[in-house]
Amino acid sequence: MDLNHLSVKDFSEIFGVSSEKISEDIKELINKSNFSYYRLDFAGIKEVILKILKRIDSPDLGIAGAQGKERWVRGWQENLDNFIKSGYDINELVPKFIRPNQPIRLFGDYVVPLNSEFELNFYKIFRSWIFSEYLFGFDTIYEFGCGTGFNLVELAKLYPEKKLHGLEWVSPSVEILRLLREKCGYNITGHLFDMFSPDKNLEVTPTSAFLAIGALEQIGKNFEPFLEFVLEKRPAIFVHVDSITELYGENNLSDYLALKHDIKRNYLQGYLTRLRELEKEGRVEIMKVQKVSCGGLYHDGYSYIIWKPK
């Protein structure tokens, strides 16, 4: 098998921008990191596809929705416990769903990274780029479905002058954010917030930005209440990163499997279609839609939509 390596040009293609849109700092980080990988041979591809199909058909596969709230209580509680035990080590905030030591999706194919933390390192670079590209001009940032605060810490380092708000529907997450503020000194405020039943009393400043990364997938087809909340609050921009079902091609095998996986898990469906309807009605402006062709084994979780209410 031939050894390959992601270059700055590859990253720009994945992000859907020219290489000039990637800062010198990020280019340097890409060049210093180990983004080497092998393409799977036919036997390896068959093994990966079998694993994916078994997961899709498993009776134990977690289904997104309001009924799964306790699963997130347990998950973020584990991160909270480890965060405290470690003496507030930020590395303990890495979400467990970013899994090391497994094949990943890349350019519509399955590959095996040399570095066990290839996906995590890719995500960190992607996150730095999208934060720098789209969130620099706003006084206040609200992250919905903020989980462990992993992204908010990066935002606080990048923009220490900004007011950051993390919103989650379970208390362990809010407790992590309290500790990040009190023990680590980050300008982060936590709030309990349920995207299935949004709190319209949340105060949002006119120059604020909304952010959601891998969070809206959990509301499946029931996104309308949250979407109406966003339209009412009128943020200056909404940066949304997720697996977007409308961006998968049914004639590509890995895309088809990702689509089956997301439908089986009741992940976000119809959201981009609805945004496009709203754009035709003159209620929103969609600034950028990009399928990010790099992700975990089961779907491309880093595709993004940049939009704002009008």
Side-chain angles (χ1 to χ4, degrees):
M1 292 186 290
D2 294 332
L3 184 64
N4 300 274
H5 186 87
L6 284 186
S7 65
V8 169
K9 183 179 178 182
D10 293 324
F11 271 84
S12 66
E13 181 180 343
I14 290 169
F15 294 172
V17 297
S18 66
S19 58
E20 288 74 23
K21 284 282 189 177
I22 299 178
S23 71
E24 292 303 317
D25 287 345
I26 293 178
K27 286 178 181 177
E28 183 178 356
L29 187 56
I30 292 170
N31 289 326
K32 285 183 176 179
S33 301
N34 181 5
F35 286 113
S36 299
Y37 63 91
Y38 289 105
R39 295 192 182 277
L40 288 166
D41 58 19
F42 185 62
I45 291 172
K46 288 198 300 182
E47 183 179 338
V48 166
I49 291 172
L50 180 60
K51 179 179 180 178
I52 294 169
L53 288 172
K54 283 184 175 180
R55 177 178 170 85
I56 292 171
D57 292 334
S58 170
D60 300 323
L61 186 66
I63 304 301
Q67 77 285 346
K69 187 173 184 178
E70 284 304 311
R71 185 170 70 250
W72 292 101
V73 172
R74 293 192 299 272
W76 300 145
Q77 184 66 51
E78 181 181 354
N79 283 101
L80 171 60
D81 292 343
N82 292 338
F83 184 50
I84 294 172
K85 289 176 185 176
S86 69
Y88 313 110
D89 181 356
I90 300 302
N91 291 317
E92 294 297 339
L93 302 182
V94 176
K96 303 299 182 184
F97 52 75
I98 300 179
R99 298 182 179 90
N101 297 309
Q102 68 173 9
I104 64 166
R105 296 165 53 84
L106 183 63
F107 293 124
D109 209 345
Y110 300 107
V111 305
V112 178
L114 251 62
N115 185 343
S116 64
E117 295 192 335
F118 183 109
E119 183 186 354
L120 177 60
N121 292 335
F122 169 85
Y123 173 63
K124 287 180 177 179
I125 288 174
F126 168 74
R127 181 180 63 179
S128 294
W129 171 78
I130 205 165
F131 288 176
S132 300
E133 182 73 12
Y134 290 106
L135 295 177
F136 66 92
F138 305 98
D139 300 327
T140 308
I141 301 172
Y142 298 81
E143 185 185 6
F144 293 88
C146 65
T148 65
F150 182 55
N151 298 315
L152 290 167
V153 169
E154 180 64 20
L155 279 169
K157 292 177 179 177
L158 190 62
Y159 303 120
E161 76 284 358
K162 296 186 187 300
K163 296 178 182 177
L164 305 177
H165 295 268
L167 301 102
E168 256 290 359
W169 63 337
V170 296
S171 57
S173 175
V174 178
E175 177 63 12
I176 292 173
L177 301 188
R178 184 187 70 80
L179 293 173
L180 285 171
R181 186 180 185 90
E182 294 184 4
K183 301 295 185 179
C184 305
Y186 294 119
N187 189 16
I188 300 171
T189 303
H191 309 263
L192 279 175
F193 185 91
D194 186 347
M195 286 190 290
F196 290 99
S197 181
D199 179 7
K200 294 187 177 181
N201 293 319
L202 180 72
E203 293 185 8
V204 175
T205 58
T207 57
S208 66
F210 281 9
L211 171 69
I213 301 181
L216 269 64
E217 69 177 21
Q218 292 298 314
I219 57 180
K221 297 178 181 179
N222 299 319
F223 55 77
E224 203 67 43
F226 180 69
L227 187 53
E228 286 300 322
F229 165 84
V230 178
L231 292 172
E232 180 179 317
K233 294 301 179 180
R234 301 181 61 80
I237 195 171
F238 193 154
V239 176
H240 173 205
V241 178
D242 241 317
S243 175
I244 308 297
T245 54
E246 290 95 331
L247 299 182
Y248 291 117
E250 291 192 0
N251 293 324
N252 175 282
L253 178 58
S254 64
D255 275 11
Y256 185 74
L257 290 173
L259 186 59
K260 285 181 67 69
H261 171 269
D262 283 11
I263 291 173
K264 178 66 179 292
R265 297 205 68 177
N266 192 36
Y267 280 169
L268 187 66
Q269 297 168 54
Y271 177 82
L272 178 56
T273 299
R274 179 62 176 139
L275 282 181
R276 286 170 171 161
E277 291 173 353
L278 291 170
E279 186 172 47
K280 288 181 180 179
E281 296 170 9
R283 298 181 64 190
V284 309
E285 177 187 348
I286 300 175
M287 301 151 65
K288 176 84 173 179
V289 176
Q290 177 66 30
K291 183 180 188 291
V292 172
S293 296
C294 181
L297 180 58
Y298 300 106
H299 66 189
D300 292 330
Y302 308 121
S303 295
Y304 64 90
I305 306 170
I306 313 297
W307 68 278
K308 63 181 179 180
K310 292 179 71 174

